[in-house]
Amino acid sequence: TSVERIMNLHNVCFTLQRFMRIVSSRLRPIMLFMDDLQWAGSTSLELIQGLLSDTRGSTSCFFFVGSYRSNEVETSHPIFDLMTHLESCGISSTKLHLCGLSRVDLNRMISESLCIFPRICKPLSDSVHAKTKGNPFFALEFLRSLLDSAVLKYSLRERRWIWDIDKIEAENITDN
């Protein structure tokens, strides 16, 4: 029943709050990082809310970082209720919106990784940017797939990395 669910949530929250008070302090801070909060349900977010709004834990030192994919949540997602509640309780927070790397930065990253001048690997990095929108994780995964399929390879004869730009342009990449 919903009463049992609420009681269980309060019991778990109470236990975690006491635990945090015992193990954390200014000398021993605790940091909790939770990724992919777009998949978190309201119960999980209520538990996080309970931990962050613990007024008795004034001696504890707790730093929470949560991340979610903004393109995968609607405005009705419970994560926004959590943020609103924390703000209304005076709990400070910082919101960061991370964008993909620019073409120039991705070119710099790829050129440094391959030990090639940026002007030489610009066609490669432009293609990778077009396919990944500059997302560093997707760019690295895409480059790994190019390595696995030998579209990107090291040439002993030329003593540098080489690639087939036409095959790269033809490669499919998923959104995830």
Side-chain angles (χ1 to χ4, degrees):
T1 68
S2 70
V3 173
E4 288 175 352
R5 184 190 77 79
I6 292 170
M7 289 304 295
N8 285 337
L9 176 64
H10 286 292
N11 288 338
V12 169
C13 190
F14 176 77
T15 303
L16 286 174
Q17 286 173 340
R18 292 200 46 154
F19 175 76
M20 294 302 287
R21 290 179 208 152
I22 292 168
V23 300
S24 70
S25 68
R26 297 219 185 271
L27 295 175
R28 295 181 322 235
I30 299 261
M31 186 221 180
L32 175 63
F33 174 75
M34 294 185 76
D35 194 11
D36 294 326
L37 287 176
Q38 73 272 10
W39 294 325
S42 58
T43 304
S44 301
L45 295 172
E46 286 174 37
L47 185 60
I48 293 168
Q49 176 180 313
L51 286 172
L52 294 174
S53 53
D54 179 18
T55 55
R56 291 186 182 176
S58 62
T59 59
S60 67
C61 189
F62 180 49
F63 183 69
F64 175 76
V65 176
S67 71
Y68 66 94
R69 295 180 187 177
S70 59
N71 62 330
E72 293 186 21
V73 293
E74 301 289 326
T75 55
S76 61
H77 193 281
I79 196 164
F80 297 111
D81 294 335
L82 169 66
M83 288 190 264
T84 302
H85 177 78
L86 294 175
E87 191 174 296
S88 70
C89 290
I91 298 169
S92 63
S93 66
T94 303
K95 296 172 190 89
L96 300 174
H97 178 77
L98 302 179
C99 301
L101 297 172
S102 69
R103 287 185 181 275
V104 171
D105 290 334
L106 185 62
N107 186 42
R108 185 178 306 123
M109 182 181 89
I110 293 173
S111 72
E112 288 177 5
S113 298
L114 301 180
C115 297
I116 296 177
F117 289 115
R119 64 182 164 75
I120 294 173
C121 76
K122 188 170 181 340
L124 171 63
S125 64
D126 284 348
S127 183
V128 171
H129 191 276
K131 301 249 181 220
T132 65
K133 297 181 180 86
N135 181 308
F137 176 76
F138 292 153
L140 290 173
E141 288 300 308
F142 185 60
L143 287 168
R144 278 191 192 100
S145 74
L146 296 176
L147 276 169
D148 291 343
S149 62
V151 176
L152 172 65
K153 58 188 170 191
Y154 188 79
S155 169
L156 290 173
R157 188 173 59 84
E158 294 184 42
R159 291 189 282 177
R160 71 175 190 94
W161 290 91
I162 58 171
W163 54 88
D164 185 333
I165 199 69
D166 293 328
K167 286 183 181 176
I168 293 171
E169 297 286 333
E171 286 282 328
N172 289 326
I173 187 168
T174 64
D175 287 338
N176 197 3

